[in-house]
Each structure stands twice: as structure tokens, then as C-alpha cells.
Amino acid sequence: NEEPIPFDFSTKLTALQRPLYAYILTLLPNRTEAEDILQETNLILCRKANEYDPQGHFQAWAFNIARCQVMATFHNLDGVN
């Protein structure tokens, strides 16, 4: 049973889309892969919305999750090659 995403959270996430995408592009300079990572990151952030501490730094938290997704992509690519 999932709880609804708080409005404040969704507002922050919406405002962060462009900077988050730009950050992902600095780590993974392929636009198609970066868009996929952005979508995956958004899904994870939404799933973890109720774990987020509103007193915390939202951008740092979101960027860290994006970085982990990029690293997981690199790890998966290494396994393929």
C-alpha cells in the first residue's frame, strides 16, 4: 500500500528536472542514456519520497541517487563487455 507523494516533494522534484538531467549528462555524456537514467532516478525518488527528510538537502539527495544509477549503468556495461 503506497502513500501519496507529498506536494512539496513533487514540486521540488519537478523544479530539479533540468539540473538533474544536466548533472547526469556530466557523468554520462550520451543523451539517450542520460534520459533513461533520469527516468530511473525519478522512479526511485518517487518510491523513496516518504523516506526523504524535509529538513535535508533535496538536490544533494537526488543527485546522489542519480550518481548511483549512473554507476550501476557503468557496472552493468562492464559485465556485458
Side-chain angles (χ1 to χ4, degrees), residues 9 17 19 25 29 38 44 46-48 56 60 63 65 68 74:
F9 182 92
Q17 290 302 289
L25 276 174
L38 178 62
I44 292 168
C46 288
R47 283 187 200 124
K48 294 180 175 267
F63 278 32
I65 290 174
C68 290
F74 283 139

Side-chain angles (χ1 to χ4, degrees), residues 28-66:
L28 185 69
N30 176 305
R31 290 185 179 274
T32 302
E33 290 178 3
E35 289 169 4
D36 290 344
I37 296 291
L38 178 62
Q39 287 182 5
E40 292 171 20
T41 300
N42 283 327
L43 286 172
I44 292 168
L45 289 168
C46 288
R47 283 187 200 124
K48 294 180 175 267
N50 292 310
E51 297 175 24
Y52 172 68
D53 176 5
Q55 302 302 315
H57 193 272
F58 186 82
Q59 182 172 324
W61 181 67
F63 278 32
N64 186 51
I65 290 174

Side-chain angles (χ1 to χ4, degrees), residues 23-25 27-28 37 40-41 65-75:
Y23 172 69
I24 293 167
L25 276 174
L27 302 173
L28 185 69
I37 296 291
E40 292 171 20
T41 300
I65 290 174
R67 184 183 57 78
C68 290
Q69 287 305 111
V70 170
M71 294 301 119
T73 298
F74 283 139
H75 179 73

